[in-house]
Amino acid sequence: MVLLPVVALCALAAVLLTDVTAHAEPLRGVRVGQHGGLSRVVFDLPQVAPYQLEAGADGRTLRVVFPTLTLSPKLTRLQPKNALIQDIRFSTTAAALTVDIVLTQPGTIQHQTRLSSPPRVVLDLVQRQDPVPPSVP
């Protein structure tokens, strides 16, 4: 008797997850700019979308995860001419779109903004001022 509600709940979850990924829209574009010592990355979105930020241990990689977006076929990698940003790499799984921003030196997000008209996420990056200790083997 208890098994039936558990099976029904699992089936409902599978339908909801399938529905989210089936209707996921691709990231529209990424723009990069340099404003003095500030590097700006703008993600142009198809609609307002949630995102998560993660920083690499060495301070040279910033990861942006968009769980409701997919990858546009025109985006695979960007190598902007920017003093702080070396490379922007895109990857996708069934669960999310991941964007890795690889920096030339340790950096940090000074400011982040989510805008809705048009939908976009803006990240302002700067060189990190505190020294990063070398990793010990």
Side-chain angles (χ1 to χ4, degrees):
M1 296 264 181
V2 176
L3 186 59
L4 184 58
V6 172
V7 171
L9 185 60
C10 290
L12 177 61
V15 168
L16 290 175
L17 288 174
T18 302
D19 190 46
V20 168
T21 56
H23 297 303
E25 293 187 56
L27 178 67
R28 289 201 172 146
V30 179
R31 295 176 280 139
V32 178
Q34 185 78 37
H35 305 280
L38 178 92
S39 294
R40 176 167 286 170
V41 181
V42 179
F43 296 95
D44 295 311
L45 310 174
Q47 74 270 341
V48 174
Y51 67 97
Q52 298 169 296
L53 297 172
E54 302 169 6
D58 65 354
R60 292 192 54 196
T61 302
L62 299 170
R63 177 170 281 179
V64 187
V65 180
F66 294 98
T68 61
L69 297 181
T70 61
L71 184 60
S72 169
K74 66 181 181 176
L75 293 174
T76 55
R77 184 176 179 189
L78 292 175
Q79 291 182 300
K81 293 179 180 173
N82 188 288
L84 184 60
I85 301 171
Q86 174 181 324
D87 199 11
I88 299 178
R89 300 175 187 151
F90 304 89
S91 61
T92 187
T93 65
L97 167 64
T98 301
V99 182
D100 287 326
I101 303 170
V102 181
L103 305 176
T104 58
Q105 55 197 325
T108 188
I109 298 172
Q110 183 180 50
H111 187 257
Q112 60 177 306
T113 307
R114 182 191 324 241
L115 301 167
S116 60
S117 185
R120 61 200 185 279
V121 170
V122 180
L123 303 178
D124 290 335
L125 312 175
V126 293
Q127 179 182 353
R128 197 159 79 185
Q129 298 303 316
D130 60 322
V132 177
S135 59
V136 178

